[in-house]
Amino acid sequence: MTVTEEVTVAHSRSPFREYVGATIGGTLLAVLALAGVPGYPWIALGGFTAAGAAIAVVDVRTRRLPNRHTGPYALAGALQAAAVSIATADLWILVVAVAAAATVFLAYALMGMAGWFGFGDAKFAGAVALFASVFAGWFAIYLVPLAVLLSAGERLARIAEGRGRTAHAHGPAIAAAALIVTAAGILT
């Protein structure tokens, strides 16, 4: 096998493990929601923050947000939206979660078409909005301007340090904005 074939094999690996992990983790968290475990929102936020941070690290290293990471995150978020909706007997939690995620995805997709961000950012933002809106409701759409502001602040700091205007990873700003919006939703 040549080096090119090895690289191709490494990048064509099936995301099966990621989806299985997200299904198991998301289901365990969903069970906590359905059981009414006190502190569930904070436990879920901790798990999703860790997953979001890991995805953001991938973005920093590769300047890509692959579907193999954003898809499982969205799956686990959908499980939380469904579980909390069932546990509270409030279908609107699920409806708002899906609608807010679609709104955030659309906003990022439009910015992607303008060349401001990549479409991996759009998928990641939609996935984090799906989870954030479980606790923050429609307030989750505010992760878009918050992530853009955080990213702009980082870019201004890089320019001030003389590191230029080169492109940088936006995933960390999305993950940080999701943490802030979700925590604010839990607290209110």
Side-chain angles (χ1 to χ4, degrees), residues 125-137:
V128 299
L130 183 59
F131 172 71
S133 61
V134 171
F135 303 104

Side-chain angles (χ1 to χ4, degrees), residues 1-11:
M1 185 180 304
T2 66
V3 173
T4 307
E5 289 173 318
E6 288 177 31
V7 171
T8 303
V9 170
H11 287 293

Side-chain angles (χ1 to χ4, degrees), residues 51-149:
I55 294 170
V57 167
V58 169
D59 190 25
V60 168
R61 283 193 353 245
T62 66
R63 300 292 190 269
R64 293 184 64 234
L65 286 165
N67 293 342
R68 69 178 308 113
H69 301 302
T70 58
Y73 189 102
L75 171 63
L79 288 170
Q80 301 322 296
V84 172
S85 186
I86 291 168
T88 60
D90 186 356
L91 178 63
W92 286 107
I93 291 173
L94 179 61
V95 171
V96 168
V98 171
T103 302
V104 168
F105 172 80
L106 180 61
Y108 265 97
L110 291 172
M111 290 187 288
M113 287 181 212
W116 298 349
F117 300 107
F119 288 101
D121 294 319
K123 291 178 272 187
F124 185 46
V128 299
L130 183 59
F131 172 71
S133 61
V134 171
F135 303 104
W138 278 108
F139 183 69
I141 65 172
Y142 287 103
L143 74 87
V144 175
L146 182 55
V148 170
L149 286 173

